[in-house]
Amino acid sequence: IRPEQDAMSTYSQLFAQHLDTLQRRTRDILQQQGLSGLAIHSGQTHRIFLDDQDYPFKVNPQFKAWLPVLDNPHCWLLVDGVSKPVLLFYRPVDFWHKVADLPNAFWVDFFDIRFLTRPEQVADHLPADKQEWAYLGGHLEVAQLVGLGQPNPEAVLNYLHYHRAYKTPYELECLRDANRLGVRGHIAAKDSFMAGASEFEINLAYMKAVGQGANEAPYGNIVAINRNAAILHYTHLSTQRVPDAERHSFLIDAGVDYHGYASDITRTWAWRRGEFADLIAALDVQQQEIIAEIKPGRRYSELHLQMHHRLARLLQATELVDMSVDEMIHTGVTNVFFPHGLGHFLGLQVHDAGGFMQAERGTHLAAPEQFPYLRCTRVMEVGQVFTIEPGLYFIDSLLEPLRRGEQGKRVNWNKVEALRPFGGIRIEDNVVLHGDGVENLTRQAGL
Ligand code: GLY
Ligand code: MN
Ligand code: MN
């Protein structure tokens, strides 16, 4: 019991400061926009067409930024940045479990909690000047119905998205725990692969180790054996056990949710020693070195370009490509082997908002034309959390045009052919930029 109580007190100590930060941001944007308050809706379920069931409920991220209530539709936060935040907590009379949970949660004392037994009772709690209140949520018809005058103002959303990049100590602790738990799952998944399991079975081992199912996970797990690792968004789970002699490689990209915050971790494992195992080790060195290059004031897109330089040198050193580094990058050859971005912001969402924003009013800087899939162009600053996830893949649909094109004769196709059965490599860590250096949440959790 003691460690859990310690964890509880850590969270309650950090939570006051977290709420102070959110209150300050709320005051600031309300003043800027001449608004009176924010009515933040947890959301509603969506009915499946011609069915009597709903899709899994996904809470509004602006709601879970305030408290870790992730599974309850029809809740509201009424905040003006000054008064104690009002939480309208939906508790239909026939569901008593929520009531039992409440008194133990560390966040309870920080809210003026009122209960709704029916969704429409929200109307009884809204202030008189609700025309001056912004609605934040995904159900504009509800905002209209209850008379909230300002639905999802763009200036408010931009402001909140921009500032969300700077995590509070409470949020960093959530992200640390999301990594601790995720690493437990990754170790179980690796053991399961090494024991001969199928993709489906490995995924079960992961979910069992983290104690979360597919609906709670921040994204669909990628569990890929052999050539499936070359399919970047492979979310199929084969039930087939691959015989030992045909087992080559295993890539797993899987995270967990902790109090509404995501981890996003990838590891690649080789079944046996050899060239592919060496390539994993070499990319791992490059990944750690690029992480060491993260500095406040550098732009994320520049770090991405540096990773292409590193990859080009790796392709040279392993004799996969015989070209100069500049030529390889300039002609797009490194894009063939590393076609996605180096990483993205991480937090309430796995691809957290604000990666392209250059100012709080939302000024957008698109990814460079050469790297259209990059998800972050922002200047890196203290308090931000990123993924760093370089990859090196053997993807047929990208290799074919290279083979036929002008640079085709500079590629060692025998070597490519030998590595194709392994699919590819991605190594993804979650890192925090502090004033005195980078904290690697994933590695420090033991992966
Ligand atoms: N798992 C999604 C990503 O790595 O961005
Ligand atoms: Mn990932
Ligand atoms: Mn990622």
Side-chain angles (χ1 to χ4, degrees):
I1 288 168
R2 179 152 304 170
E4 280 191 13
Q5 278 175 345
D6 286 352
M8 222 18 204
S9 78
T10 303
Y11 277 106
S12 60
Q13 280 160 25
L14 297 174
F15 197 68
Q17 190 198 344
H18 176 65
L19 279 194
D20 283 347
T21 302
L22 296 189
Q23 290 276 64
R24 179 172 47 72
R25 289 178 192 163
T26 303
R27 277 198 304 277
D28 190 19
I29 188 59
L30 291 178
Q31 198 189 356
Q32 277 188 36
Q33 296 301 311
L35 292 164
S36 301
L38 307 176
I40 310 173
H41 192 196
S42 72
Q44 294 181 180
T45 50
H46 290 270
R47 187 50 51 97
I48 299 168
F49 183 53
L50 297 183
D51 204 330
D52 62 354
Q53 299 183 66
D54 299 324
Y55 291 103
F57 175 71
K58 297 287 175 187
V59 66
N60 170 5
Q62 293 296 351
F63 182 89
K64 67 171 172 166
W66 287 80
L67 78 175
V69 170
L70 313 175
D71 58 357
N72 202 1
H74 308 298
C75 294
W76 297 76
L77 281 160
L78 306 178
V79 293
D80 63 10
V82 180
S83 326
K84 188 170 186 176
V86 173
L87 170 65
L88 306 181
F89 196 82
Y90 180 58
R91 188 191 55 166
V93 276
D94 39 356
F95 286 96
W96 292 98
H97 300 89
K98 291 289 180 196
V99 186
D101 274 356
L102 268 176
N104 284 324
F106 62 84
W107 48 265
V108 169
D109 292 341
F110 296 92
F111 295 88
D112 169 3
I113 301 178
R114 307 170 192 171
F115 295 98
L116 307 180
T117 52
R118 284 177 291 111
E120 57 273 23
Q121 287 168 344
V122 57
D124 305 338
H125 298 273
L126 293 177
D129 63 341
K130 59 194 176 190
Q131 272 301 320
E132 311 307 320
W133 278 61
Y135 168 83
L136 300 186
H139 299 265
L140 299 185
E141 71 287 0
V142 174
Q144 200 176 18
L145 204 69
V146 298
L148 286 162
Q150 316 279 333
N152 294 326
E154 202 179 327
V156 175
L157 289 180
N158 283 341
Y159 177 98
L160 295 176
H161 285 162
Y162 178 82
H163 287 284
R164 214 167 95 183
Y166 308 100
K167 268 57 178 183
T168 64
Y170 162 80
E171 292 179 298
L172 293 180
E173 199 53 33
C174 292
L175 288 159
R176 266 180 213 113
D177 270 327
N179 268 266
R180 287 181 192 123
L181 194 55
V183 164
R184 228 186 273 169
H186 272 264
I187 291 167
K190 180 203 174 188
D191 291 346
S192 179
F193 169 69
M194 292 301 178
S198 69
E199 292 169 353
F200 186 83
E201 291 167 321
I202 295 170
N203 193 46
L204 289 181
Y206 179 89
M207 292 194 298
K208 185 175 174 196
V210 302
Q212 281 180 16
N215 289 342
E216 295 118 295
Y219 57 92
N221 291 348
I222 296 170
V223 179
I225 291 176
N226 292 351
R227 295 205 52 207
N228 294 335
I231 301 169
L232 294 180
H233 281 173
Y234 177 82
T235 49
H236 179 75
L237 293 166
S238 168
T239 54
Q240 206 179 351
R241 288 188 180 159
V242 180
D244 284 4
E246 294 163 30
R247 283 170 98 74
H248 306 303
S249 61
F250 170 50
L251 183 154
I252 172 165
D253 184 345
V256 302
D257 180 286
Y258 197 93
H259 288 169
Y261 292 82
S263 55
D264 178 11
I265 302 170
T266 309
R267 283 296 181 271
T268 312
W269 307 99
W271 178 253
R272 62 182 76 81
R273 287 198 194 91
E275 204 159 19
F276 186 74
D278 295 344
L279 207 51
I280 295 176
L283 190 66
D284 192 63
V285 169
Q286 297 302 320
Q287 193 249 19
Q288 302 241 48
E289 286 184 7
I290 198 83
I291 288 173
E293 282 188 33
I294 295 174
K295 296 271 169 348
R298 277 190 97 177
R299 203 175 278 285
Y300 196 93
S301 14
E302 201 241 316
L303 199 72
H304 174 86
L305 178 62
Q306 285 310 314
M307 190 63 227
H308 275 263
H309 281 264
R310 291 177 172 278
L311 191 80
R313 288 196 293 271
L314 187 61
L315 291 170
Q316 281 178 337
T318 52
E319 296 177 346
L320 273 157
V321 181
D322 180 20
M323 288 170 80
S324 77
V325 167
D326 285 340
E327 207 187 350
M328 240 191 274
I329 295 170
H330 183 69
T331 56
V333 170
T334 51
N335 277 340
V336 169
F337 294 94
F338 174 35
H340 59 73
L342 178 62
H344 47 84
F345 277 159
L346 181 72
L348 290 162
Q349 286 160 295
V350 61
H351 298 149
D352 220 21
F356 297 109
M357 285 185 177
Q358 309 303 308
E360 67 178 27
R361 61 183 182 279
T363 320
H364 186 89
L365 178 64
E369 213 171 307
Q370 191 189 358
F371 304 118
Y373 301 113
L374 185 60
R375 284 196 173 94
C376 187
T377 57
R378 191 148 155 184
V379 172
M380 296 183 281
E381 291 177 88
V382 171
Q384 296 176 349
V385 177
F386 319 90
T387 71
I388 300 289
E389 48 181 306
L392 200 181
Y393 311 86
F394 303 94
I395 302 171
D396 289 348
S397 60
L398 299 178
L399 288 168
E400 250 342 281
L402 175 63
R403 189 199 295 270
R404 289 196 309 268
E406 209 177 310
Q407 279 76 40
K409 51 190 178 299
R410 321 285 290 277
V411 176
N412 183 340
W413 292 106
N414 288 337
K415 196 145 191 175
V416 169
E417 204 49 45
L419 287 164
R420 266 180 76 239
F422 296 84
I425 305 167
R426 177 163 66 260
I427 301 168
E428 177 174 29
D429 288 345
N430 304 164
V431 304
V432 186
L433 181 50
H434 293 291
D436 58 356
V438 175
E439 177 186 1
N440 189 322
L441 301 177
T442 314
R443 305 254 170 179
Q444 79 188 6
L447 196 61

